[in-house]
Every structure is written in C-alpha cells, then in structure tokens.
C-alpha cells in the first residue's frame, strides 16, 4: 500500500530538498595584498633571497626556516564568524598516538557548507596561484585540508611535516583572544649540522584570522605546544599545498647504544634486594608459564620494601646530575649520570646488570639470558648430533670433527643489556622513528618505576607497544611503584612513552630504571 501524506507535507519536503541542492558557495574575499602586484614581487624577491620582509599585514621571516604570517587573511569578519560556526558543527574524531593528541574533522575536500567550500575554493584557487608565483614553483591543484580542535592538554610534538608531495604547509587560526600562557603556540626549531632539531627559537601565538605558512623541508621542525587553558578551544584549518619536494639529504643515523654483558655478581645480591617470593623456584616456574602465554608480566612489590624506599628517597637528592636526552623529534627526558649516583641507587643499577639477575630473568621468561638456562632447541641439537654419529658409524666415515663443527655452529651469543635511569616530568616523551624501526630486533624490555601512589594514567608517562607502521596499541604498561614490568617484543613491535601532560604538574617528577636485554 502506498503511504499517505497531506499535500502540505509533501510540498515542504520537496522545497527542503530543492533548497539543499541549490545551496551555493559563499565567496571568500582574501586580503587586498594578494591582489597587489607590487607586494607580490617584493615578497617573491625576499623569499628567494631568504631575507626578512614586512608589507602591511604580511611578515616574512627566514629564521629558523622560511615562514610567512598574514594577519586579517579573510577580509570579511562576518565570513570568519560563519566559517567558525560551520566548522564547530562538524564531526570531530579523537586522534592520539606517540606524536599527537587532538580532535580532527573529516577531510574537508568535499564539504558543501557555503563558507567551508568558499574558503577551500579561494585557498586552492587564486591563493595557490599567488603562492606559486611567490615561490616560483608550480603548485599542484591537490586539495589537502582539514580542521583541528586543540583543547586542554592536546599537543602535536616535534616533527618536520615531510611527506612525498608536500611543498608548503599552512594554518589558518580561528581562535578566541589568545595569549602565550594559554599554550598552543606554533614553536619553530633550529637544526644542527645533521639536520636534527635542537631548540625552540620562535613561538607564534595563535591569532584570529591569521594565516601562517612555511616551506616543508629537511629543517622545517615545529610543534604545537600543549594547550594549557581549560576554557578555550584552539580551532584551526590546516593542510598542505603540493608540489615538487625539496631535495633531502640522507637522514642522520644515531650511533647504536653500547651494550654490555652482565656484571659478575652472585645471588647474594638477589637475597639482599629482591622480594623473597620471587626467589622461590616454584613461583618462578609459574611466572614463566604466564609470561610465555602473553609475552609480558608485571611483578608487584618486586624489591624489598626497605630497599625500594631507600632508593626512592635517594633519587631526589641534588647530587645526581641529570642530562636532557634528545633530539626532540625522538625523545625528551632526563637521564642520570651514573658516576653521580648515591650508593644505594648505584647498587640497584648493579643488581639489574648482574649475572644473578640475568639468570633470574631467564627463569622468569624462559629466554636464554644466561648459559645455565637451556635453550629451547638444545634437545633437538643433541638428537641431530646423535643421528649424525649413527649415520657416520653406519657408513664408516670419521665422526671426530663433526660434533666439534656442530657445536661451533651452534655456539650461543653472549647475552647483553643496556639501561637508563630516567627522570620524567611535565613535557617528557619518546617518539617512534624510522631508524628505530629499521634496527628493531627481539628484545626483553624491563621498567622499574619509582612514581608515587598518586600518579594517574591520565597524566601520560605510560609505555605503549604498537605494531610497526600501525597506530593500534598492542599493549600499554602504566607506571606503578615497585612494579617490575617485563615485555618481550619481536622485530615488528615498537614502543614509545606517551607525552606527560599539564595534569601532572601538581605531582613531582617520577623516575624509572629502563633496561633492554638481548639473548
């Protein structure tokens, strides 16, 4: 049966549909200097010579890398207000990984809202032409634009924006009145001779209707600093103009971290430091079964209580020298100088490097971190050698050299480790990076935190494990006082420490021993 409607309803519905179809684009009028030929020539000359330049609302600065600021970019305040309204009505998705935390809209390439589509047409139409002439580069018509909302504790850490095809990055701010104390600044970094970022030398405070753009290059390292205000939203449109990429020198490869074999310390060290429950052989077997099922485990109350308290108090002593570890596109935390450690902290370090501890880890995990720990394939090797002997006897050939050769081929490598004593505070993090992925190998990670009972997961500072080239988290390990975390990772698994945000400022720094062991 056909549905019945009153005539008036049908007409109204049809009118709505018709109205939606005929919604037209609102033309975006750009600032007058885009139409000013003399202004364009002077900016073009300054950019090519890498010299600072100012013309009305436009400012070009080439330190630490070329960037341009255009205030009052859109000539109509009403257009700006309507654009803000349309953007705030979009659906936003939480984006969070090692590098950032903020909310992002869907791609704006095909949005039909009148002011969004009008701005898009102006940006990738006549403004793209103007910018191409200024840079003397043929920019492609590729549309690459989205909207981002940064709110309290949101951040985008140090990176260079380099990706195939990106030539110029842009940000249009649509913010309420904003001060540097609100955070959310666009921070620009200097670089060293290896094209690695060093330090922030310029911070641009967001301002309503201001466009910032810069060339994407091997030195265009920048970040959006953490938003510190709790009652403002840092709304912006951003994207890239595409064109031929600038030539990139080979990326700097950091020298590998020095690994060391165990220190010759016996089990008396374990008896002195480790909770006796973890020295029970039957309990070690239980731990190993659980570890082999999941490749990770957390052992609570690992150190004896009095030892843990002694180390925790000593870590706050001023005699320890802490050095900031960078560069900021890879990590940001402080590491202790080992020769400045108080005696009890040094003894705890020795525990984690000791032969007895390597053997204990072998018992916990089943990994071959000590020669007394049998390898999984020992029995297979023995069976193969016995079979070789039987075959040799049957054929009458010599067997003297064969077992020797076999044992030489199967000689195990020496287990080794490296470690850090780290101090974490507001702003600390580690990032995933290409060099780390290229060097990834099988390893056992150990973290022993000294963080206090008040440390909350929402502060950050937890360790995330992810599959290479994927954002999905495989495992998250939260710092917990005196809880020894062990995680075995393969060549396709990487880790990072999540940025420690402003919510943590009421708590003092926390510390951890971070070690990596290799069979």
């Amino acid at each position: 049966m056909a549905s019945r409607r009153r005539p008036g309803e049908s007409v109204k519905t049809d009118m709505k549909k018709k109205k939606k179809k005929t919604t037209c684009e609102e033309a975006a009028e750009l600032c007058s200097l885009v139409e000013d030929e003399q202004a364009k020539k002077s900016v073009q000359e300054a950019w090519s010579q890498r010299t600072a330049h100012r013309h009305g609302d436009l400012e070009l600065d080439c330190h630490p890398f070329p960037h341009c600021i255009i205030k009052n970019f859109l000539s109509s305040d009403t257009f700006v207000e309507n654009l803000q309204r349309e953007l705030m009505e979009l659906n936003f998705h939480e984006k969070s990984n090692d590098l950032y935390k903020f909310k992002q809209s869907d791609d704006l390439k095909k949005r039909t809202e009148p002011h969004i589509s009008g701005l898009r047409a102006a940006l990738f139409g006549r403004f793209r032409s103007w910018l191409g002439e200024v840079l003397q580069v043929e920019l492609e018509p590729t549309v690459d634009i989205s909207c981002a909302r940064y709110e309290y504790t949101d951040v985008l850490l140090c990176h260079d924006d380099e990706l195939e095809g990106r030539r110029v990055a842009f940000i249009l701010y649509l913010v309420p009145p904003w001060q540097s104390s609100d955070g959310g600044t666009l921070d620009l970094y200097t670089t060293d001779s290896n094209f690695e970022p060093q330090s922030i030398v310029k911070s641009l405070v967001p301002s309503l209707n201001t466009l910032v753009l810069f060339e994407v290059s091997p030195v265009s390292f920048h970040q959006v600093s953490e938003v510190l205000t709790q009652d403002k939203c840092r709304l912006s449109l951003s994207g890239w103009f595409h064109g031929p990429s600038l030539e990139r020198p080979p990326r700097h490869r950091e020298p590998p971290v020095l690994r060391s074999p165990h220190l010759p310390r016996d089990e008396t060290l374990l008896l002195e430091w480790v909770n006796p429950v973890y020295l029970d052989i039957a309990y070690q077997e239980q731990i190993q079964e659980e570890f082999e099922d999941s490749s990770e485990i957390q052992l609570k109350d690992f150190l004896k209580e009095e030892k843990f308290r002694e180390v925790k108090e000593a870590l706050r002593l001023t005699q320890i020298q802490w050095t900031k570890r960078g560069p900021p596109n890879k990590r940001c935390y402080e590491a202790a100088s080992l020769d400045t450690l108080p005696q009890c902290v040094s003894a705890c370090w020795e525990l984690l490097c000791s032969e007895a501890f390597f053997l204990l880890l072998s018992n916990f995990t089943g990994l071959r971190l000590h020669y007394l720990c049998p390898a999984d394939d020992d029995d297979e090797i023995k069976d193969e050698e016995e079979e070789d002997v039987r075959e040799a006897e049957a054929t009458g050939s010599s067997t003297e050299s064969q077992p020797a050769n076999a044992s030489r081929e199967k000689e195990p490598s020496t287990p080794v480790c490296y470690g850090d004593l780290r101090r974490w505070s507001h702003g600390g993090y580690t990032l995933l990076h290409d060099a780390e992925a290229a060097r990834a190998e099988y390893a056992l990670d150990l973290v022993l935190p000294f963080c206090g009972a008040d440390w909350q997961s929402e502060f950050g500072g937890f360790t995330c494990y992810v599959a290479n080239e994927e954002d999905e988290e495989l495992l998250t390990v939260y710092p917990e006082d005196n809880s020894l975390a062990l995680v075995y990772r393969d060549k396709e698994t990487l880790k990072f420490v999540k940025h420690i945000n402003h919510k943590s400022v009421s708590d003092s720094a926390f510390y951890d021993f971070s070690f990596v062991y290799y069979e």
Side-chain angles (χ1 to χ4, degrees):
M1 180 186 290
S3 61
R4 288 187 172 185
R5 295 178 185 166
R6 289 194 295 271
E9 283 183 327
S10 178
V11 170
K12 285 179 183 176
T13 303
D14 290 345
M15 285 176 67
K16 284 180 182 177
K17 286 181 180 177
K18 190 173 182 181
K19 188 175 181 181
K20 187 174 182 181
K21 287 179 182 177
T22 57
T23 296
C24 59
E25 182 180 286
E26 191 74 31
E29 294 297 327
L30 305 182
C31 57
S32 58
L33 68 83
V34 174
E35 309 297 334
D36 186 332
E37 282 297 317
Q38 186 57 45
K40 182 172 67 179
K41 287 179 181 177
S42 60
V43 175
Q44 179 189 81
E45 183 179 349
W47 199 302
S48 65
Q49 295 178 359
R50 296 295 190 262
T51 57
H53 177 73
R54 188 185 291 270
H55 189 287
D57 284 331
L58 182 148
E59 179 186 349
L60 173 65
D61 191 358
C62 295
H63 181 68
F65 50 83
H67 59 280
C68 185
I69 303 164
I70 305 176
K71 296 178 181 177
N72 302 308
F73 179 67
L74 297 167
S75 60
S76 167
D77 291 342
T78 303
F79 186 97
V80 172
E81 290 171 11
N82 288 327
L83 177 63
Q84 283 176 304
R85 177 181 49 77
E86 289 177 3
L87 292 171
M88 290 300 287
E89 290 173 356
L90 296 174
N91 290 321
F92 285 82
H93 311 281
E94 183 81 43
K95 305 276 287 183
S96 181
N97 62 12
D98 61 313
L99 186 64
Y100 51 68
K101 182 177 83 73
F102 63 93
K103 294 181 180 67
Q104 187 177 50
S105 72
D106 294 327
D107 192 343
L108 301 183
K109 186 186 297 186
K110 296 181 179 178
R111 298 300 303 193
T112 58
E113 290 85 349
H115 297 84
I116 293 175
S117 58
L119 176 68
R120 184 181 62 226
L123 272 176
F124 292 94
R126 60 186 183 281
F127 185 74
R128 175 178 61 86
S129 299
W130 178 89
L131 184 60
E133 290 177 32
V134 165
L135 296 177
Q136 301 179 68
V137 170
E138 186 69 34
L139 295 176
E140 300 165 6
T142 305
V143 175
D144 193 345
I145 184 172
S146 64
C147 180
R149 288 174 54 182
Y150 285 76
E151 291 162 336
Y152 181 52
T153 72
D154 287 346
V155 69
L156 173 58
L157 298 170
C158 181
H159 64 292
D160 61 9
D161 261 11
E162 280 213 304
L163 203 63
E164 189 66 35
R166 292 178 178 176
R167 183 58 187 258
V168 179
F170 69 86
I171 311 100
L172 176 63
Y173 294 113
L174 298 162
V175 294
W178 204 273
Q179 292 80 41
S180 58
S181 58
D182 294 327
T185 53
L186 180 64
D187 298 336
L188 311 184
Y189 288 82
T190 54
T191 49
D192 62 18
S193 58
N194 294 317
F195 300 96
E196 294 275 75
Q198 286 184 306
S199 57
I200 295 166
V201 292
K202 189 171 185 179
S203 294
L204 305 178
V205 179
S207 178
L208 178 64
N209 195 18
T210 294
L211 183 80
V212 175
L213 48 90
F214 59 84
E215 269 191 307
V216 176
S217 76
V219 298
S220 58
F221 284 100
H222 60 284
Q223 72 168 11
V224 175
S225 69
E226 182 183 356
V227 173
L228 305 178
T229 177
Q230 298 190 41
D231 54 5
K232 296 181 189 177
C233 171
R234 182 190 185 275
L235 185 71
S236 65
L237 283 166
S238 59
W240 295 270
F241 294 102
H242 289 239
S245 300
L246 294 174
E247 188 177 346
R248 152 128 232 156
R251 289 190 183 272
H252 174 65
R253 287 177 63 90
E254 293 180 305
V257 179
L258 182 65
R259 302 173 185 178
S260 305
H262 60 65
L263 297 174
R265 306 287 189 274
D266 63 22
E267 66 275 5
T268 56
L269 202 56
L270 301 182
L271 295 170
E272 182 185 351
W273 280 85
V274 177
N275 185 336
V277 69
Y278 293 115
L279 302 182
D280 180 79
I281 296 299
Y283 194 44
Q284 290 175 14
E285 291 175 355
Q286 185 180 326
I287 290 169
Q288 187 178 131
E289 284 182 18
E290 185 177 334
F291 184 86
E292 287 177 343
D293 281 344
S294 59
S295 297
E296 58 94 12
I297 198 166
Q298 285 195 263
L299 306 177
K300 298 180 185 295
D301 303 317
F302 183 73
L303 298 181
K304 288 182 175 180
E305 180 60 30
E306 66 275 13
K307 287 293 187 182
F308 179 79
R309 279 201 312 269
E310 184 184 5
V311 172
K312 189 172 183 177
E313 289 170 9
L315 285 170
R316 291 181 168 82
L317 296 177
T318 55
Q319 75 179 68
I320 303 176
Q321 290 182 10
W322 298 94
T323 304
K324 194 164 187 177
R325 291 285 312 279
N329 62 324
K330 295 174 183 173
R331 62 190 72 86
C332 178
Y333 63 86
E334 293 173 294
S337 300
L338 299 185
D339 56 359
T340 67
L341 297 182
Q343 194 280 324
C344 67
V345 180
S346 184
C348 189
W349 177 278
E350 285 192 11
L351 167 72
L352 301 176
C353 300
S354 68
E355 179 178 4
F357 195 77
F358 270 62
L359 181 55
L360 183 64
L361 288 178
S362 292
N363 291 344
F364 285 159
T365 63
L367 299 174
R368 192 180 175 89
L369 294 172
H370 193 278
Y371 70 90
L372 291 179
C373 178
D376 290 340
D377 54 358
D378 273 0
D379 291 339
E380 292 178 19
I381 295 170
K382 188 175 180 181
D383 291 343
E384 288 172 9
E385 289 178 356
E386 289 175 352
E387 181 65 27
D388 289 343
V389 171
R390 283 196 295 271
E391 287 180 6
E393 288 174 347
T395 58
S397 60
S398 171
T399 63
E400 287 183 10
S401 61
Q402 290 177 15
N405 289 338
S407 63
R408 216 169 19 247
E409 289 170 10
K410 302 293 182 179
E411 181 124 6
S413 58
T414 302
V416 291
C417 75
Y418 71 83
D420 250 345
L421 173 53
R422 308 181 294 189
R423 180 165 70 178
W424 296 99
S425 56
H426 177 215
Y429 59 86
T430 67
L431 299 177
L432 305 176
H433 52 92
D434 294 340
E436 182 185 38
R439 292 177 178 175
E441 54 188 302
Y442 292 95
L444 176 69
D445 293 331
L446 174 151
V447 176
L448 179 60
F450 297 76
C451 59
D454 294 333
W455 190 265
Q456 305 293 318
S457 59
E458 65 177 10
F459 297 171
F462 46 83
T463 303
C464 291
Y465 288 82
V466 297
N468 190 15
E469 297 185 352
E470 293 184 23
D471 277 349
E472 186 181 357
E473 292 174 10
L474 304 174
L475 173 69
T476 303
V477 180
Y478 296 95
E480 183 180 339
D481 252 357
N482 200 14
S483 181
L484 186 80
L486 298 174
V487 179
Y488 185 63
R489 55 185 161 89
D490 60 22
K491 294 180 179 181
E492 294 301 315
T493 304
L494 304 174
K495 62 176 178 175
F496 66 89
V497 175
K498 186 65 175 176
H499 174 262
I500 298 174
N501 62 50
H502 187 256
K503 294 177 183 178
S504 69
V505 293
S506 58
D507 280 56
S508 58
F510 83 84
Y511 309 81
D512 64 25
F513 287 93
S514 173
F515 275 72
V516 184
Y517 300 85
Y518 301 89
E519 292 181 283

